[in-house]
Amino acid sequence: MWKEFRAFALKGNILDLAIGVIIGAAFGKIVASLVSDIIMPLVGLLLGGIDLSGLTYTIGDAPLKYGLFLQTVVDFLIVSFSIFLFIKAISRFKRKEETKPEKAPTPSNEEVLLAEIRDLLKQNVRLNKPEARD
């Protein structure tokens, strides 16, 4: 069982996934900071200083903090849009790499010789046709 687990854990897919999770967590922190420290204060200024996180509704003794929920939804939308733009930019760079024209491979000596033989045979067939002799 240990050998099977080790083989599974050391597969390339698992390592790639682990690296992706770590980078994703770090990128998530960067985007969360961008949202909370830069974008939301600007949005607050544009909306006249409205802070959604302070909105509550009390039912009996239980406060419903729907403002925090709305703030989290706005944060999610901004974070997901930022990730979308990041992935779109990366995809554009990948497409440019894929569309670079590759040099045509140079034919080997054998291919050159075979092409010459083919051309000579075609020329010989044309010369030996009855229409060509007249």
Side-chain angles (χ1 to χ4, degrees):
M1 184 178 229
W2 173 251
K3 288 180 184 179
E4 290 177 24
F5 175 73
R6 188 173 72 174
F8 171 76
L10 295 179
K11 280 186 180 178
N13 296 347
I14 299 298
L15 294 175
D16 292 342
L17 179 64
I19 291 169
V21 168
I22 292 168
I23 291 174
F27 183 72
K29 288 181 183 180
I30 291 170
V31 173
S33 175
L34 173 73
V35 169
S36 65
D37 299 331
I38 295 174
I39 294 175
M40 287 313 293
L42 293 175
V43 170
L45 283 174
L46 292 174
L47 295 176
I50 295 174
D51 182 19
L52 296 177
S53 61
L55 299 175
T56 59
Y57 185 77
T58 306
I59 299 176
D61 291 336
L64 299 176
K65 299 180 181 181
Y66 68 94
L68 285 174
F69 175 74
L70 292 175
Q71 184 70 40
T72 303
V73 169
V74 170
D75 289 351
F76 169 76
L77 293 174
I78 294 171
V79 168
S80 59
F81 184 70
S82 301
I83 291 172
F84 168 75
L85 292 177
F86 180 73
I87 291 173
K88 188 172 180 175
I90 288 175
S91 297
R92 184 177 302 155
F93 287 127
K94 283 186 178 181
R95 270 189 253 126
K96 285 183 182 178
E97 289 176 4
E98 291 173 358
T99 58
K100 286 184 181 177
E102 294 182 11
K103 289 183 179 179
T106 58
S108 68
N109 291 337
E110 292 175 346
E111 291 173 332
V112 171
L113 183 59
L114 288 172
E116 289 175 5
I117 293 170
R118 179 198 63 211
D119 294 341
L120 288 172
L121 288 172
K122 284 183 181 179
Q123 185 180 15
N124 193 16
V125 168
R126 285 186 202 128
L127 292 175
N128 290 330
K129 284 188 177 180
E131 305 92 34
R133 283 189 232 164
D134 294 333

